[in-house]
Amino acid sequence: MTSHGSKRKCSNEPSGSSAKRPTKSSQEPRTGSKRKRSNEPSSSSAKRPTKSSQEPRTDLIIKQTKDMIKKIKRNISIQDSTDLKTYIIDQILNMDMMYKCNTNRKKVTIGIFGRSGEGKSSLLNAVLGERYLLPSGSSGACTAITTQVEGNLSDSDYTAEIEFITKEVSLSVSSYCDYFSKTIKITCEVKVIILHCEMYCCLYLVSLQEWDSQLKYLLLDLSDKTEERNDDLTKIAIEKITALYGANKFKKTLDELKKDAKSAEIEKLLLMKKKTISNMNSSNFAREISQFIQHSRSNPGNWYWPIVKSVTIKVPNPLLEHIVFVDIPGTGDCNKTRDSLWKSKLAECSIVWIISAINRGTTDEDPWEILKHCVYYMTQAGECKSINFIFTKTDDIDPEEYIRNEWPSEEEKPDKDQKIACIRKRNISSKETVRESFENSKLKKKMTLNIFTVSTRAYFDKTLCMKHSDTEIPKLQDVLKNLNSSINKDLARDYVNEAKGILSLIKSVQSETGNVVQTGVHEKFELNLFKALEKLGWQFDMLCCVLEKCLSDGVEESERLCSTSACSIISPNLPHGKGGFHKILKALCKNDGYHWSNAWSKDLDLNMELAQHMHKNIEEEFDSIFPVDCKTGKSVQEQIEKFSIIQSDTEPSRASMIYHIDNFIKREEIKLKMRLKREVIERKKKISLSITTTIKDAMVPYYQKAAKFSGTGSMKKMQNTLTEAIDNLKHDMFIQAKAEALRKFRDLEQHIKDTLESGLQRSILLLLKTGKIKLDVVEDIKELENLLQQLSD
């Protein structure tokens, strides 16, 4: 048992029995009303982070802008009706709606990786100041479910939306009737009900079918008594059945389990598809959600995580204003929907937290294996910019043992506060070791690294006598605060710029020379638009040529090496003492080419293995065309940024109409580019994933065929089926993968050009609108420019 020192009050800690919960900065916008929470234990709070007094008061800037726009709207409303007046009022009314949409769209997703017991839940609880909100690994937290934690900023309720597993298929109404006709007697009235409840019935049927299918396969895994029995699959089967039905229920037959009293509750939950839990009290909320996200070995039964696909938890906490945490299962799942879900969630993450206990983190290969397994979904098929490597349980140390074994002999040993000195020493050493490993890895080229050493227990328990700063929980809270602050600045900047664009339009059509200037400007912008689109097309032609060359090389290499690559998955050299490969291969076939083996700690993805040579050949150029967060000189994003129909070499006078016309056009260009930035990221993912998806689609019929083999010699039959399929398909399959990736790239080009052309043509036409707005907005524009400067400082 690790010693934690005597229980005395530490002079470096703030007074009081508990620290304070993080609160929202006064500089940031408040959303919704907050009700006072009842019965909250003081021990569930965390220290209140402080905001820098130098940060811009973004909420005040937005309020000033809103007040100005309201004044403008009132003054415009009393003027004569014109097309221009109608358009401007519509734009003003849309501003708040656009602000809310941007707020949702600009959220940062942080993916959390780590094995059960490493302290993931405890870390999140500490960062959010909610000590017992999420169950820890020691209390039986389930790692197979993708759990998302985000902010509830509308009220003080803790809410959870629990989604249950379904089989994602599309059936016709006649199919539903056929299914029912085999199980119950159908009357005309029942058929009418089915027709009116088409989707509802579909979800109910496929949910039950999916679980019945899983249950059947779990029992088949348990019935295998041969030497080839797979302990990995057997353990999973026992764990799932015991969690749902109770102790020793894994010994029952399928019919006996279906007749079990708990089956009725399972069917009821699957029928719901989704279940929502809400409570103002965090402790009560934690108890209510526990049966869906954890289990108890000492009290089995009525733990429903085996039929849960995902859980979204909303917490009333300002640190989650623009932050979404996703607890990523690092081990896949035999359920297809869960498997595809965690991959799609990982692709959304712009930051990843790798959690590892410090007493093994520097030597443990698991975190790096997780990254190796997931790096494709984080980069080429994702948008991850940085990794935070977080060591947990830093207070878990024996000072005497550490000094004896780890303390450098040339350094003077501490004579007091030995435990704190040892913790700090080990923290520094651990950070240096991980940074060195990162510097020597390929990941360095793709993302940045930050390292933290945290103690969640010491953060809440002052008797351990660690400073709050030594726990590094406040440092992580600062990371979240800075992210929120940065996003709030961006949102405020966008809002003020939108207002400036509207005022610039009002001023730009107030030319003393009437339509003469406007017509000339219109013709100039039309010509510039044509030239800019033509230039953009040339840039895409060059990028497409580069991509096509890399893909062609990948096709050639794939055809030559795919059989050898596939062999490592289909007929591997088995690890010593690891049997039951025929079960693993069957699981891989049933899951369309993917399986994670817990026992082997190995990721088996035949589709990715077949696609690896194409991905490898395009990786360098693809990263240049679609970099995550840097300039390469030829990226799609840089081509969009350079696009403009304002071609003047000299800045016009602030007093001239051209100055305000250019300001209006610049704002319209910025809006279009912002929209395209998000769309480019999403389409980039689809371009990259299309290679593996095309290969998977070609292989699916053969996976299904192989999965049907059973009995003596089934493994050899499965292996032969897959090997022959690859030999027969390899030429056309890789050519199709190349063609699909290029087609999606050209679709992206056309989408960008269409968006810019249609958007800017509409803006140019606005300059010809008749009916001036009789309103002096010059001083208002200057005030908005001053607010923008405050946001930039």
Side-chain angles (χ1 to χ4, degrees), residues 405-417:
N405 297 328
E406 303 291 341
W407 200 275
S409 57
E410 68 275 9
E411 290 188 22
E412 183 179 350
K413 295 175 175 58
D415 56 356
K416 60 179 181 178
D417 291 331

Side-chain angles (χ1 to χ4, degrees), residues 10 25 31 42 53 169 177 185 198 233 267 321 365 408 567 582 640 721 767 790:
C10 304
S25 162
T31 310
S42 60
S53 60
V169 295
C177 295
K185 185 177 180 181
E198 177 179 334
L233 298 177
E267 289 189 14
E321 183 179 11
E365 290 297 317
C567 190
H582 73 291
I640 294 172
T721 298
L767 297 173
Q790 290 180 44

Side-chain angles (χ1 to χ4, degrees), residues 22-35 48 51 57-63 66 99-100 103 152-155 317-318 321-322 484 488 491:
T23 58
K24 192 170 185 176
S25 162
S26 62
Q27 286 95 338
E28 296 173 359
R30 294 192 176 103
T31 310
S33 60
K34 301 278 182 178
R35 299 198 304 274
R48 183 192 301 266
K51 281 277 186 180
R57 298 178 61 86
T58 53
D59 58 337
L60 181 59
I61 288 174
I62 290 175
K63 182 180 182 304
K66 285 184 175 182
Y99 177 77
K100 289 177 183 177
T103 300
N152 175 16
L153 304 175
S154 58
D155 56 43
N317 192 303
E321 183 179 11
H322 302 296
N484 281 318
N488 278 325
L491 290 169

